[in-house]
């Protein structure tokens, strides 16, 4: 089995290192998708993840694991995978938001915050 890991907004590929070591010991072939929100916009990150998921799927069945924003990116990428490509068997989302939080909704009404979002 293959597993693709996607870190959260403040994470890095190093975030999953202890987990990757454990997975390898159990025979799981781990892959990591790294990104930076300071360099790329959301749609570019999602498109890059779609490409990575297609590459991983060529190696056989796989699951995806996302932490925080990583889970949000995974959900967006799954919706963009071409029909001819294999979807992940399962998706594990660790602390990934499903919708905007109350504070995010409140802050978008703020004149200063609303101007920059």
């Amino acid at each position: 089995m293959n597993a693709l890991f996607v870190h959260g907004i403040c994470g890095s590929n190093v975030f999953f290192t202890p987990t990757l070591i454990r997975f390898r010991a159990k025979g799981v072939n781990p892959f990591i998708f790294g990104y930076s929100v300071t360099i790329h916009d959301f749609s570019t990150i999602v498109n890059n993840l779609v490409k990575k998921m297609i590459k991983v799927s060529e190696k056989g069945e796989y699951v995806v694991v996302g932490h925080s924003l990583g889970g949000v990116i995974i959900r967006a990428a799954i919706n963009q995978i071409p029909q001819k490509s294999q979807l992940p068997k399962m998706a594990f989302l660790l602390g990934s938001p499903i919708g905007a939080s109350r504070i995010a909704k409140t802050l978008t009404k703020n004149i200063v915050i609303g101007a920059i979002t």
Side-chain angles (χ1 to χ4, degrees):
M1 174 62 71
N2 300 300
L4 175 60
F5 295 86
V6 183
H7 61 76
I9 193 168
C10 293
S12 73
N13 293 346
V14 177
F15 177 79
F16 286 114
T17 300
T19 304
L20 299 178
I21 292 168
R22 288 186 194 106
F23 273 52
R24 278 193 188 110
K26 298 292 183 182
V28 176
N29 188 21
F31 295 86
I32 301 174
F33 175 75
Y35 65 92
S36 173
V37 295
T38 58
I39 297 172
H40 298 106
D41 63 13
F42 185 78
S43 62
T44 301
I45 295 168
V46 170
N47 290 335
N48 290 340
L49 179 57
V50 168
K51 291 174 193 172
K52 180 77 169 192
M53 290 171 78
I54 291 169
K55 278 186 168 182
V56 171
S57 74
E58 292 168 355
K59 298 183 183 306
E61 290 186 343
Y62 71 107
V63 298
V64 289
V65 180
H67 174 251
S68 192
L69 181 60
V72 175
I73 296 167
I74 286 172
R75 286 196 313 267
I78 286 173
N79 289 327
Q80 294 184 22
I81 292 179
Q83 285 187 340
K84 62 181 168 110
S85 298
Q86 181 179 339
L87 291 170
K89 291 296 175 187
M90 297 185 92
F92 299 94
L93 309 179
L94 311 171
S96 296
I98 302 300
S101 65
R102 277 185 286 155
I103 187 101
K105 290 176 184 175
T106 302
L107 288 176
T108 57
K109 296 174 188 171
N110 180 292
I111 202 162
V112 174
I113 301 296
I116 60 173
T117 59

